[in-house]
Amino acid sequence: NHVYMPLMNSGGTKDPGAGFAEEDEEGHTFEVADLSNSLAKFLSQVRHAVQQVAGEVRLQMPTVVIEDEAAAASDTSVIADLESSVNEWTQQIQRIVEQEMGKAPTG
């Protein structure tokens, strides 16, 4: 995360959405921002898997920086990131509640 994410930012900006379009040998166009978002989602999934193995419960905070609420409300990438986080939280909380409900009292 600390190595690849900064490399994908264009022009040294801190905004991963400020990427640029690239074209591969076959003429397919892709956005560096798309790759950055995919990497962030993968990192979230890996963290989630590690938490399941370790038995910890942590809700990951989204890495979205909101300076202007009105602009963020109309930015589809910000909305998608926040919705993704809420979906992950909901799934994680549901799993924990189901696990706790399935436990039998001891003693």
Side-chain angles (χ1 to χ4, degrees):
N1 185 29
H2 300 294
V3 174
Y4 296 112
M5 296 301 279
L7 287 175
M8 287 189 286
N9 289 336
S10 66
T13 64
K14 292 182 181 179
D15 180 17
F20 52 90
E22 290 282 336
E23 191 170 296
D24 64 10
E25 308 86 39
E26 298 174 1
H28 298 106
T29 303
F30 65 94
E31 293 282 333
V32 173
D34 291 339
L35 181 60
S36 176
N37 288 337
S38 295
L39 182 61
K41 288 178 185 177
F42 175 71
L43 179 62
S44 173
Q45 291 172 345
V46 169
R47 283 182 181 154
H48 178 70
V50 168
Q51 288 172 4
Q52 284 184 327
V53 171
E56 295 179 12
V57 177
R58 289 187 187 170
L59 299 178
Q60 295 293 325
M61 295 300 293
T63 58
V64 176
V65 177
I66 298 176
E67 295 178 12
D68 181 12
E69 292 177 19
S74 62
D75 187 349
T76 57
S77 67
V78 170
I79 293 171
D81 287 344
L82 294 174
E83 286 177 347
S84 175
S85 292
V86 170
N87 286 334
E88 288 177 27
W89 296 343
T90 302
Q91 292 172 3
Q92 190 171 2
I93 291 169
Q94 285 176 340
R95 276 193 300 273
I96 298 300
V97 168
E98 288 170 3
Q99 288 174 357
E100 292 300 314
M101 296 297 286
K103 289 183 178 178
T106 58

